[in-house]
Amino acid sequence: FREGKYSFNRLSINQGKNISLEGAGPDKTVFDFSSQTQGGEGIRITDVVDFSIKGIKLQDSKGDLIKLNKCTNVVIDNVHAIWHVADSTSGGYAIYPVLCKNVLIDHSYAEGASDAGIYVGQTQGAIVRNCKATKNVAGCEIENTSDAQVYDNEFFGNTAGFLVFDL
C-alpha cells in the first residue's frame, strides 16, 4: 500500500497462504476504521499460513484492531495500532494473535486498548520484541502460551505493564 489514508469498515482474510500487507511506514500508510459501525475487529485474519503485516498504522476500530486466529508463521513488524480516544469505548485488543503458531511481533506500538495493547493467547511459539505500549489497561499480556519470549520492550503509562497468565 502506498502512502495515504485508507478507510475501511472491516477487512477479513480467511484460509490463505503467503499473504502480506505492506505499507510505506506507520506514519505514511494508515488503515482507518473510524467509520466502522459494527464488528468484532478492524482486521480479522483466520487460518492463514505465512502472514505478514508491515509498515502500517491501524486506527480507531469498534472492536480489536487486528485479530489473528489459528494462523501459522505470523510476522507483525512496524505496525502501530491506536485508538485516539483511550477509554472503555476503545476496542479490547490492539494486536491480538490467538490460537496461532510461530508469531513474531517486532518494532510495533499499541495505544488506547480497553484491555491489552499486545495480547498473545493460546499460542505455540511467540516473540514480542522492540515494542512499545501505552495508555492501555495492560501493555502486554501473554496468556496460556508456550515458548514465548518477551524482551527489549517498553510498556509504560498502562494500568498494568506486563501480564503473564498460565492457567
Side-chain angles (χ1 to χ4, degrees), residues 62-106:
K62 290 288 183 198
D64 309 318
L65 277 165
I66 183 167
K67 182 176 183 179
L68 301 105
N69 188 32
K70 300 179 185 175
C71 295
T72 302
N73 302 331
V74 172
V75 175
I76 299 167
D77 185 18
N78 199 23
V79 171
H80 292 192
I82 298 170
W83 286 273
H84 288 97
V85 176
D87 63 19
S88 63
T89 64
S90 301
Y93 302 97
I95 299 171
Y96 184 22
V98 64
L99 298 168
C100 293
K101 292 180 184 175
N102 303 325
V103 173
L104 171 63
I105 304 171
D106 198 8

